[in-house]
Amino acid sequence: MQSLDQTQLATLRERLRGPSVLPNESGYDLARSVHNAMIDKRPALIIQAANVADVRATVQFAREQELPLAIRGGGHNVAGLGTCDDGIVLDLGHMRGVRVDPQARRAWVEGGATWGDVDHATHAFGLATTGGIISTTGVGGLTLGGGIGHLSRRFGLSIDNLVAADVVTADGQFIHASEHEHPELFWALRGGGGNFGVVTAFTFQLHPVDTVFGGFIAYPIERAAEVLASYRAFIADAPREVNAFFGFHLAPPADFIPESARLKPVVLIVVCAIGPLDAAEQAVRPLREFGPPLLDMLHPLPYPVLNSLFDAFLPHGLFQYMKAGFDAALTDAAIAVHETYGPEVPSVPSIVHLYPIGGAVAEKQPADTAFSYRDAAFIHTILAAETDPVALPAAMQWVRDYWSALQPHAMKATYVNFLMQDEGDDQVRQTYRDNFTRLRQIKAQYDPTNLFRVNHNIPPAAS
C-alpha cells in the first residue's frame, strides 16, 4: 500500500479546521476506537472533520493518495466499517448540529449527529422522526441503510422521512440530493449504505410525537413459545400507531427486576404506542392479557426516554458479534427454533430481537428506494455482546447456530446495517435483490473508481 506523502499531508493539515491524528501522536488510540471492541484497526490517519470544507479536503486527499477511506458517524457499525487498517478515517463526530423548523416540521441534521442529538432538539417542539432504538447510534449509518425504529409502522423507515441530503461525492463535489435534484443519487442513498459519498447533512420530515405509551412487558422464559405466538397475532392486527418488538434478554441485576428473575433469561415485548394516551393504552391492552406478566413497565413516557431505553445495555467498548435476517412470516417452525435457542442468551448485553416490518414501511414498493425488503414481516437480530473477550467465541457460536437454524424459515438476506464482514459479497447482492443492478449503475456515475469501498460494497458497473 502507498504510504502517506508527507508534503501533501502537511498541506492537508494546514487546510483543516478539525483535528487530525497520526499513529505516533497523543490521542491516537482513543481516536481509532469504535463502539465494538472486537474491531481493532490501525488507520494511517484519522481526521475529525469540523465542517464540509474538511470533508472535501479529506476526500480529495484520499483519492489522490489512493488510500482506503472509511467514513465514521456514530461508530456503532458492528462490522467495524467506520474504520480501516492503513488508510484514512474521516470521523464526522464533531459535526453534530441539529436545526429544527417547527412550522415546516423539518430537521436539518449534520452527518456526525446521533439520534439522541436529534431527539433532544426535536422533542422541545413535540416532534420526532423514525430513529432506531438506541440513541447513541449515528444518524448517518442508520439512515443510509434504511432505518428501522420505534416509529416505523406509523411513519415508515428513516429513509422514508428523508427529504434531502447534502453529499460530498468521490470527485469532491458538494451536491444537494432530493427527489428533484440528483434524484438517482437520492434514490441510492435511501438504503444503499455509504457507497455513494459522504453525507454531511440530512433533512428529515418530522411528526407530532411527544409523550408515548410505552416501555416493556416481561414474561417468564417458560412461556416463550406461547408469548411469541400471541405476539404474532397481536402485531398482525395492531393499529399502525402501535409498534412492538419481541425479545429474549438476560434480566439485569437491577432493583426493579424481581429477585428470582435476575440474571435469568426472560422474554420481553417492547412497546411504543403514539396518539392519545387513553387510546394508546387501550390498543396495547392485549399484551397484558397473555397471562400474568413477570413485570409490566408500560406507562406514559417522553419519546426520547423510550428511544434511549437500551443505551445502558450496549455501551461503548463491548465485544460484539451479530447475524440477522428478514422473515416473510413468523412460522410455527421458526417459533420452535426461537424457543430452543433464545433462552440461551449468553449475557445481559446480548439480545435477540424481532422487529416488525409493516404498516407504513410496506406501503412503498421494493423498487421505490434502494432498501428493498418492504415485503418482509419481521427482521430477526441475534447479537452476542461480552465484556470479556474470552467469552466471545462461545457466544459467537451461539449466534451462528441460532441463525443457521432459522435459515430454512427466513428470506435468505439481511438488513445491510446488520451485516457482518464475514458474510460475503453474495449476501450484499441478495440484500438489494432487483435493485442491485441500478445501484451499480449509480455507483459508476458518482464513484467510478470505488473510492467509497470500506462498506458493504456495491461495485461500480463496468463502463
Side-chain angles (χ1 to χ4, degrees), residues 77 212 223 227 258:
N77 185 271
V212 302
R223 297 182 56 211
V227 173

Side-chain angles (χ1 to χ4, degrees), residues 218-221 249-266 294-295 313 345 347-348:
Y219 306 90
I221 194 67
H249 281 259
L250 204 62
D255 291 342
F256 66 89
I257 302 292
E259 190 169 353
S260 60
R262 295 174 190 172
L263 298 179
K264 302 287 180 59
V266 297
L294 180 68
L295 190 64
F313 282 87
V345 59
S347 65
V348 170

